[in-house]
Amino acid sequence: QVQLVESGGGLVQAGDSLRLSCTASARTLRTYGIGWFRQAPGKDREIVAAIKWEGGRTYYTDTAKGRFTISRYTANNTVLLQMNSLKPEDTAVYYCAVDPSGLLPTIVERYRYWGQGTRVTVSS
């Protein structure tokens, strides 16, 4: 069992930055991956980025590449999502979740132990 807590969301203007944090309570995350997802109103949940805990291999969607950076801090079981140059279309509730396989799948159903989400609103 892994518990995840997200934080860092808020209301910002287009072009601003936010840093989201996901802290996991687990004895070890060594073989896992952690993904960041988002769900906009009326839309399906979609992956944004993911990181393999051991080694730090990352995955980004084309939307996230160049603007978002995912990183992990093994000392405190935290995964960050630095989001720069935010756009109104980035408005969504952002979630982190555990990928038990460590293969960084892009399918939502492959992830477990979801956090409660943190809301990001980007005004134009």
Side-chain angles (χ1 to χ4, degrees):
Q1 185 82 15
V2 179
Q3 292 184 327
L4 303 173
V5 178
E6 302 99 333
S7 63
L11 172 62
V12 297
Q13 294 186 331
D16 286 350
S17 298
L18 275 178
R19 188 175 70 176
L20 305 184
S21 177
C22 170
T23 299
S25 62
R27 189 171 62 178
T28 179
L29 296 171
R30 185 175 60 83
T31 61
Y32 293 166
I34 301 292
W36 276 102
F37 295 77
R38 68 186 184 185
Q39 188 164 18
K43 295 190 176 181
D44 293 334
R45 192 169 298 187
E46 62 179 6
I47 193 168
V48 175
I51 187 166
K52 183 171 172 60
W53 197 259
E54 187 173 45
R57 180 171 64 90
T58 57
Y59 164 82
Y60 295 94
T61 61
D62 289 341
T63 299
K65 283 178 185 176
R67 296 192 300 130
F68 296 180
T69 303
I70 190 170
S71 58
R72 88 259 190 261
Y73 290 88
T74 57
N76 56 4
N77 280 5
T78 297
V79 174
L80 301 178
L81 184 68
Q82 177 68 40
M83 305 188 296
N84 299 327
S85 302
L86 284 163
K87 305 174 182 180
E89 51 264 44
D90 294 318
T91 295
V93 178
Y94 284 71
Y95 302 88
C96 60
V98 171
D99 156 36
S101 72
L103 298 175
L104 306 187
T106 59
I107 301 172
V108 171
E109 290 76 12
R110 295 282 298 276
Y111 286 77
R112 298 175 60 189
Y113 307 124
W114 293 81
Q116 83 289 350
T118 185
R119 186 175 300 277
V120 172
T121 304
V122 184
S123 64
S124 58

